[in-house]
Amino acid sequence: NAGVTQTPKFQVLKTGQSMTLQCAQDMNHNSMYWYRQDPGMGLRLIYYSASEGTTDKGEVPNGYNVSRLNKREFSLRLESAAPSQTSVYFCASSLDSYTGELFFGEGSRLTVL
Amino acid sequence: GENVEQHPSTLSVQEGDSAVIKCTYSDSASNYFPWYKQELGKGPQLIIDIRSNVGEKKDQRIAVTLNKTAKHFSLHITETQPEDSAVYFCGGSNYKLTFGKGTLLTVNP
């Protein structure tokens, strides 16, 4: 069982470039999330999808878009990357909504120059 | 929205000692409080959680206590071991989960 798989693990972008972070889970979970982790800031929710076909903004959604492609996959897109988006990004999933265990991927480290 | 404060930001203990990490929350409607452990280079992993209808929960060397009146909850690790060294995050949830900023725990052999 792979759990939550994120790609790529590392990426370097120039300011203004676009990219998509991919996330897939094989646990048949309904809910999926994207977080960013910055030193001293903890984990901040960017977007989440409570169920297939729905997406909602989290705490820090500006500069990002998401797509819940199907029940397994939830992608995060940076349309025009900025240095402030340099961070480690984590995808997570849970059986449903928030009052249950989140299963995290191993993270994607993004550097924007 | 919910605001979760976590203290201390760093904690260093000797192997075998106990470690305590404290969190406070602002939303009285929050009813679920998980604790996650993050080892270097990995994603966070749930280690214990507690719901608002319970005051204390234990799992071997770890325990969590919840005081709803004061809106604070704590993680207790007894007989610490070097493998307990990690970053620990608390969370508070009433549908949306908000994390504290994390505590770097170092257990010195």
Side-chain angles (χ1 to χ4, degrees), chain A residues 49-113:
Chain A
S49 172
S51 60
E52 186 180 356
T54 69
T55 60
D56 284 291
K57 295 178 180 179
E59 185 183 352
V60 287
N62 291 345
Y64 305 95
N65 285 302
V66 290
S67 295
R68 184 74 183 266
L69 304 169
N70 48 55
K71 191 172 185 178
R72 291 186 63 247
E73 298 172 289
F74 189 40
S75 62
L76 178 71
R77 182 160 178 84
L78 287 71
E79 290 291 352
S80 179
S84 60
Q85 294 178 304
T86 293
S87 188
V88 180
Y89 292 85
F90 286 97
C91 178
S93 70
S94 65
L95 184 58
D96 52 44
S97 73
Y98 258 109
T99 52
E101 181 175 2
L102 298 185
F103 292 83
F104 285 85
E106 298 220 324
S108 299
R109 182 175 293 276
L110 175 66
T111 302
V112 183
L113 303 175

Side-chain angles (χ1 to χ4, degrees), chain B residues 13 15-16 37-40 45 47 61-62 77-88 105-109:
Chain B
V13 299
E15 183 176 358
K37 176 184 180 182
Q38 185 180 27
E39 297 177 345
L40 193 62
Q45 191 167 14
I47 55 171
R61 295 187 298 109
I62 60 173
I77 306 174
T78 59
E79 300 172 17
T80 54
Q81 300 167 4
E83 51 265 40
D84 294 328
S85 296
V87 178
Y88 291 81
L105 172 65
T106 303
V107 180
N108 302 300

